[in-house]
Amino acid sequence: MAVTKAKKAEQIDKLNADLQKASSMIVGTFSKLTVAKDFELRKTVRAAGGRYRVVKNTLASRAAEGTKVGEALKGLKGVSSIAYTAGDPVILAKALSKYVDDNPEFSFKTGVLEGRLISQKEIKALATMPSKEEIYSKLLFLINAPAQRLVTVMNAVGRDIAVVINQAVEKKKFKEIVGVVGGTSTAAVNNQIIDAGDPIVDNQINDERAEPTAVNNQITD
């Protein structure tokens, strides 16, 4: 049954409304694709955040006029299908490339990446790139890593000081200060607090008094 002009116009308008939202597209072709394989392909595209349609070349070309993906649909020959997305094009390229590897009866014709026409080779290259989500995760890690290291180092320094003080208390290295009056100097009082005769305590205290360079090296490593 022939499709009326009114029906064709309706199909063009509907497809145009979809393509207006798309920023990236992969145009494919196939031969002897079974119903089961076709269902699997559609499921693959949906899982990647895209939409999939088998289209008539002239109808698709007219529907894509004025859209970002219009260039890819000009002058198509033979059987054509389109997978398009307004989301991450890398995820779509990865999904379809995996499908092509598993199903050689399906292949790529051309594609569009953010409004720019790309070749079959570039579609394959796109599929090897990290997704936007992976890039954002790595970027956030790089941003947060120095702050996390700084907190870790500062916490470690605090814990070390607490350990030293606790050991000094347990070994009764703090002397009672009784009758400190008048002319007793601050230095004299300080000398009574820590018994310098214990090398273990002295070494741990000296470690905490090390130059800031040691801590800075931990932060920047």
Side-chain angles (χ1 to χ4, degrees):
M1 183 178 177
V3 179
T4 64
K5 290 184 178 181
K7 188 65 175 179
K8 285 183 179 180
E10 181 182 342
Q11 292 174 348
I12 290 172
D13 289 342
K14 186 175 180 180
L15 182 56
N16 178 265
D18 272 354
L19 297 182
Q20 287 288 351
K21 304 171 187 175
S23 56
S24 300
M25 172 186 285
I26 294 176
V27 182
T29 187
F30 56 87
S31 61
K32 299 179 181 179
L33 199 65
T34 65
V35 173
K37 290 293 185 180
D38 179 73
F39 177 78
E40 182 184 344
L41 176 55
R42 293 173 186 275
K43 185 178 178 180
T44 296
V45 173
R46 283 198 302 270
R51 301 192 67 178
Y52 176 84
R53 295 184 64 166
V54 177
V55 295
K56 292 184 177 180
N57 294 330
T58 54
L59 185 150
S61 179
R62 290 174 59 187
E65 290 178 359
T67 70
K68 292 182 179 180
V69 298
E71 196 66 27
L73 298 180
K74 291 180 178 179
L76 293 177
K77 303 291 183 181
V79 178
S80 300
S81 67
I82 56 176
Y84 50 96
T85 182
D88 190 341
V90 175
I91 295 177
L92 181 61
K94 284 180 182 292
L96 283 177
S97 292
K98 175 65 167 59
Y99 183 86
V100 168
D101 291 341
D102 297 338
N103 301 276
E105 59 267 39
F106 186 88
S107 61
F108 299 138
K109 284 187 175 183
T110 186
V112 175
L113 175 63
E114 300 295 339
R116 183 178 69 84
L117 198 65
I118 59 176
S119 65
Q120 298 176 28
K121 185 177 180 180
E122 288 173 315
I123 294 172
K124 286 289 188 180
L126 182 64
T128 65
M129 295 178 62
S131 66
K132 288 181 180 179
E133 184 177 345
E134 291 172 320
I135 293 173
Y136 291 156
S137 295
K138 290 178 181 179
L139 181 60
L140 286 173
F141 174 79
L142 292 174
I143 292 173
N144 291 330
Q148 291 173 343
R149 290 180 182 177
L150 178 60
V151 171
T152 300
V153 170
M154 293 181 68
N155 287 341
V157 171
R159 287 194 299 270
D160 292 343
I161 293 174
V163 168
V164 171
I165 294 175
N166 186 57
Q167 289 177 350
V169 170
E170 289 177 353
K171 294 182 180 182
K172 298 181 180 179
K173 297 302 178 182
F174 290 100
K175 296 180 179 180
E176 292 185 6
I177 304 173
V178 181
V180 179
V181 294
T184 304
S185 66
T186 302
V189 175
N190 289 339
N191 287 337
Q192 294 182 64
I193 294 177
I194 298 179
D195 183 353
D198 192 332
I200 295 176
V201 176
D202 287 345
N203 288 336
Q204 290 178 312
I205 294 294
N206 288 333
D207 286 342
E208 297 305 320
R209 291 173 179 172
E211 294 183 0
T213 304
V215 176
N216 290 336
N217 288 337
Q218 293 182 57
I219 297 173
T220 57
D221 284 346

